[in-house]
Amino acid sequence: MRYDGLMTAVTPAVSQRRPPRTRRLGYMIAIVVNGAILFVVHNVLAWGVPEWLTVDFNEVLPILTTSILVTIMVNTVFLFYDEPWFTTACELVTLGLSMAVAVATYRVFPFDFSAYAWDWDAMVRWVIVLTIAAMSIALVVNAVKLVTIIAESLPGVGSTT
């Protein structure tokens, strides 16, 4: 345990991780949920629900599929190897792909809310923009976290005298 000079304990983030069994269960749940989402996004247009989703959704589908498949693959790898530096690096990749999906969705805007009295277009666009902003912040936070994890693992760094 380290001290920050004010005699308050500073514990590394690694010690605050959930137990391995709990983490593995979370990875398995993520794999199943993402598999279900992949099935839904590839069939939603054929089902005709929701009615406001247009055929332009097919333009977003390739990057969305890639993002979901990478997330499934990453969570599968995490079942066997989930060191903090590795999970953080992989989170940077999946966040980047998620941001690409959000940008593609904003660009294509595969929605038609013309049947509704309220202006859903503006609200949905704002939600997408806010999502992109939140993911941008998350990318910066994870990048700093990764650098911190790597720096603390270096000899002589993170130890107090």
Side-chain angles (χ1 to χ4, degrees):
M1 183 170 299
R2 297 180 299 144
Y3 293 93
D4 65 2
L6 301 173
M7 296 307 290
T8 56
V10 177
T11 55
V14 175
S15 66
Q16 297 171 353
R17 296 179 78 201
R18 298 186 192 282
R21 176 180 270 167
T22 305
R23 293 194 313 267
R24 283 190 202 99
L25 177 62
Y27 302 145
M28 287 187 272
I29 291 169
I31 291 165
V32 170
V33 168
N34 277 283
I37 291 170
L38 187 62
F39 176 77
V40 169
V41 299
H42 278 272
N43 290 288
V44 69
L45 288 177
W47 296 335
V49 177
E51 296 172 357
W52 40 261
L53 191 62
T54 70
V55 295
D56 291 340
F57 180 69
N58 286 320
E59 291 182 47
V60 178
L61 199 53
I63 188 67
L64 179 57
T65 300
T66 301
S67 179
I68 295 169
L69 287 173
V70 167
T71 300
I72 290 170
M73 289 186 300
V74 161
N75 279 284
T76 302
V77 172
F78 288 169
L79 287 171
F80 306 100
Y81 185 78
D82 72 341
E83 290 299 317
W85 73 269
F86 184 71
T87 57
T88 304
C90 289
E91 286 169 6
L92 284 168
V93 172
T94 57
L95 263 169
L97 284 168
S98 296
M99 188 181 298
V101 171
V103 168
T105 302
Y106 185 86
R107 185 183 53 80
V108 172
F109 203 73
F111 311 110
D112 178 12
F113 299 112
S114 60
Y116 300 91
W118 201 71
D119 185 16
W120 284 99
D121 283 9
M123 187 171 113
V124 171
R125 286 188 185 277
W126 270 107
V127 168
I128 294 170
V129 167
L130 290 174
T131 300
I132 292 168
M135 285 189 278
S136 299
I137 293 167
L139 278 168
V140 171
V141 168
N142 274 328
V144 169
K145 180 180 172 185
L146 180 60
V147 168
T148 302
I149 291 169
I150 292 169
E152 286 180 350
S153 70
L154 298 173
V157 178
S159 62
T160 59
T161 54

